[in-house]
Amino acid sequence: MAGLNLNDDVPVEVIPEEPPKTPAAIEKLIEEARSALKAQDHGGKQSLSLVVIGHVDAGKSTLMGRLLYELGRVDEKTRIANERGSSKMGKSSFSWAWELDGTQEERERGVTMDIALQTLVTPHRVITILDAPGHRDFIPNMISGASQADSALLVVDAAVGEFEAGFDRGGQTREHLLLVRSLGVSQVIVAVNKLDQVEWSKARYSEIVELLKPFLVQSGFHPSKTKFVPVAAMEGANLARPEPATCPLYQWYKGPTVVELLDTLEPPTRDINAPLRFPISNVFKGQTSGISVSGRVCGGVIVAGERLRIIPGDESATVKAIDSDGDGIPWAGAGSNVNLTLTGVDPISLNIGSVLCRPGQVVPLVSTFTARIIVFDIQVPITAGTSVELFHHSRDVPASISRLIAVLDRANGNVIKNKPRVLTKSMSAEVEISLRSSAYSGPASRALPIPLEPFSSNKEMGRILIRRGGETIGAGVVTELLA
């Protein structure tokens, strides 16, 4: 309970709970929402979400903080306050990052630890920014952010030795790219940062681009959906407007800025007619009465006033309000990152990883399923019975690979070999995964099932990641639910 910050002593103005809307009123709202979403696809600004990834200290938060300032999302007063505060702590170079690294611990340590949400508006797009942590200790938080994104901005450090540290084995540049691709992100913009530290060298920029290109293709990114851009985040160079002729970068680069590239990102198609799925990524105390949860709508449309089931469990909650970037909205469609204020529910039944859905279209709960996975660059092979950690949206649970069913051809999915004994790096395979009970829950307890769907039913609810001993060993999609 303490973790939810629910037992504050501050008196809160309690608003009486409104009765849920009638089914007819909800149906009418859902139809209105669907018509409006279809109209929005044909005209107006389209929305999408972008996860910012890269090795620790590549300058991700600094780049986004500076970009928000350049686009007028951070006022001068806040900028000066951040500058003063960071100087006082002896971390003046982190002043731009403070806009996204908001907690005391993040500011003291100078590293991003959790996902920070912000919104950017470009001429044709409304972009929800998810600033992910680059440190390997916080990979679970980074996975939670990447699972809510449509596209990625990879920030790499151009300084000699720094790019290599991030890109070589054990660096986070490689792991982050593999993770976001496995979670369905197909478009990536690579910002080669800190070029001012290598005297704006075109040779260094070209070297980094040539090293990254083959790895991006190997990870599954199509060359036409991969863009590169040289920047210097601290200076604000090439972020929102082209550099003046006096800037050394102008001598050899006259291409698009970061904002121009963000403006060309393609929003994916949204399945607004699918059953409603809303996996919870965070639970916190609402500003008025009730509890707030944040997450991304993974299918269908959610409307204010309806009563939804919380899976797993038998509880229900009424959606009192929907909030997108500080604005109250009557509904939100698939692909939207929003906060919901819920009433008429015991906070204990709201957990990170739970899924909100309509009572008539409940998400299945499973503890054993088959999945088609791709094995990453691993040193120790995978055998039947291997203990792993299973990641699905913001939830991570202990599991084991209970059966190796077949090795598949990566190109066409045909079976190469049935019942293999081991899986080694870069293999594609069909496996059976079973959840394990937690180590501290006693020997006789059985594993609690989690909400999952086959990839064929709902793409976002059917993607999984598998980690072991602090490294990601594979990723894939759920093919069949067994039990």
Side-chain angles (χ1 to χ4, degrees):
M1 286 294 279
L4 288 174
N5 302 325
L6 300 176
N7 32 5
D8 285 5
D9 298 329
V10 185
V12 174
E13 178 199 345
V14 177
I15 295 173
E17 190 190 327
E18 298 166 28
K21 288 194 171 98
T22 61
I26 285 168
E27 273 308 311
K28 192 177 169 201
L29 256 177
I30 291 171
E31 280 314 310
E32 277 175 28
R34 284 181 180 148
S35 319
L37 284 164
K38 278 177 188 154
Q40 186 186 337
D41 283 348
H42 299 300
K45 290 191 179 185
Q46 293 182 301
S47 59
L48 56 91
S49 49
L50 173 99
V51 64
V52 186
I53 56 170
H55 192 61
V56 64
D57 285 345
K60 297 181 292 298
S61 300
T62 299
L63 189 149
M64 293 324 299
R66 180 78 200 225
L67 190 56
L68 289 166
Y69 173 72
E70 297 281 336
L71 292 173
R73 296 281 302 180
V74 178
D75 56 24
E76 198 62 25
K77 187 179 168 191
T78 311
R79 184 189 72 80
I80 292 167
N82 285 345
E83 210 168 87
R84 280 189 187 144
S86 56
S87 302
K88 217 177 252 181
M89 286 170 90
K91 293 188 181 291
S92 55
S93 64
F94 290 107
S95 66
W96 293 111
W98 273 34
E99 187 55 38
L100 292 121
D101 295 346
T103 70
Q104 186 72 15
E105 191 175 358
E106 284 182 314
R107 291 178 169 190
E108 282 171 6
R109 290 175 61 172
V111 293
T112 307
M113 294 161 71
D114 209 343
I115 291 288
L117 265 183
Q118 285 282 0
T119 307
L120 281 184
V121 180
T122 66
H124 303 102
R125 300 282 180 267
V126 178
I127 302 172
T128 304
I129 302 287
L130 301 137
D131 181 36
H135 199 287
R136 64 179 313 143
D137 291 357
F138 307 116
I139 282 264
N141 293 352
M142 182 260 155
I143 291 172
S144 170
S147 65
Q148 299 174 54
D150 304 313
S151 47
L153 174 68
L154 169 69
V155 183
V156 295
D157 187 340
V160 177
E162 290 298 325
F163 169 74
E164 287 74 9
F167 189 62
D168 292 346
R169 186 175 166 78
Q172 295 308 294
T173 304
R174 279 174 184 265
E175 185 167 12
H176 280 195
L177 278 172
L178 281 167
L179 289 177
V180 295
R181 185 67 197 96
S182 307
L183 291 165
V185 170
S186 60
Q187 307 174 79
V188 64
I189 296 169
V190 182
V192 182
N193 191 19
K194 306 192 185 180
L195 274 175
D196 49 328
Q197 294 185 14
V198 291
E199 296 170 358
W200 308 98
S201 162
K202 183 184 180 182
R204 178 62 173 161
Y205 173 72
S206 304
E207 179 193 355
I208 289 171
V209 170
E210 291 313 312
L211 278 168
L212 278 170
K213 269 183 179 169
F215 182 73
L216 284 160
V217 172
Q218 187 191 329
S219 303
F221 290 99
H222 195 278
S224 67
K225 295 194 171 182
T226 310
K227 304 280 189 290
F228 292 87
V229 59
V231 298
M234 282 296 277
E235 313 280 323
N238 206 35
L239 295 183
R241 49 192 70 84
E243 286 310 292
T246 50
C247 174
L249 181 62
Y250 184 80
Q251 310 306 318
W252 56 269
Y253 181 81
K254 298 177 179 65
T257 61
V258 172
V259 169
E260 285 166 350
L261 286 176
L262 291 175
D263 201 40
T264 61
L265 288 170
E266 282 299 312
T269 51
R270 315 283 192 199
D271 193 355
I272 53 174
N273 296 315
L276 171 66
R277 302 287 182 254
F278 186 88
I280 296 171
S281 62
N282 203 0
V283 183
F284 51 97
K285 191 168 182 178
Q287 291 190 347
T288 53
S289 64
I291 306 299
S292 288
V293 296
S294 62
R296 171 185 167 94
V297 185
C298 288
V301 177
I302 194 165
V303 299
E306 65 178 326
R307 194 147 182 85
L308 299 175
R309 275 284 302 275
I310 302 159
I311 302 294
D314 299 322
E315 290 284 333
S316 296
T318 302
V319 181
K320 182 167 181 289
I322 304 172
D323 172 350
S324 171
D325 191 31
D327 301 323
I329 51 176
W331 46 262
S336 310
N337 297 69
V338 291
N339 294 341
L340 308 178
T341 304
L342 303 177
T343 56
V345 61
D346 185 341
I348 287 205
S349 57
L350 288 169
N351 296 306
I352 290 174
S354 293
V355 177
L356 299 180
C357 45
R358 293 206 172 88
Q361 297 170 319
V362 173
V363 61
L365 284 170
V366 285
S367 53
T368 307
F369 59 92
T370 59
R372 181 171 291 185
I373 64 165
I374 287 178
V375 182
F376 290 169
D377 184 7
I378 57 171
Q379 303 297 305
V380 182
I382 297 171
T383 56
T386 298
S387 292
V388 294
E389 227 181 325
L390 177 76
F391 283 77
H392 177 255
H393 283 283
S394 303
R395 182 188 286 276
D396 56 301
V397 289
S400 61
I401 295 176
S402 44
R403 201 155 55 95
L404 307 182
I405 300 168
V407 174
L408 308 172
D409 184 329
R410 277 184 77 160
N412 55 24
N414 292 341
V415 173
I416 298 173
K417 183 183 180 187
N418 279 311
K419 297 184 180 172
R421 289 178 61 192
V422 295
L423 299 179
T424 53
K425 71 176 183 181
S426 304
M427 276 187 173
S428 175
E430 180 103 11
V431 296
E432 182 183 288
I433 296 175
S434 304
L435 302 188
R436 291 182 290 124
S437 55
S438 322
Y440 48 78
S441 55
S445 65
R446 52 187 282 273
L448 294 171
I450 62 167
L452 264 186
E453 279 185 286
F455 185 73
S456 54
S457 304
N458 185 319
K459 286 189 167 70
E460 293 186 49
M461 291 295 293
R463 295 187 197 278
I464 54 162
L465 285 172
I466 303 161
R467 303 190 85 227
R468 172 181 66 186
E471 73 167 339
T472 308
I473 60 170
V477 297
V478 177
T479 49
E480 191 186 348
L481 310 180
L482 299 177

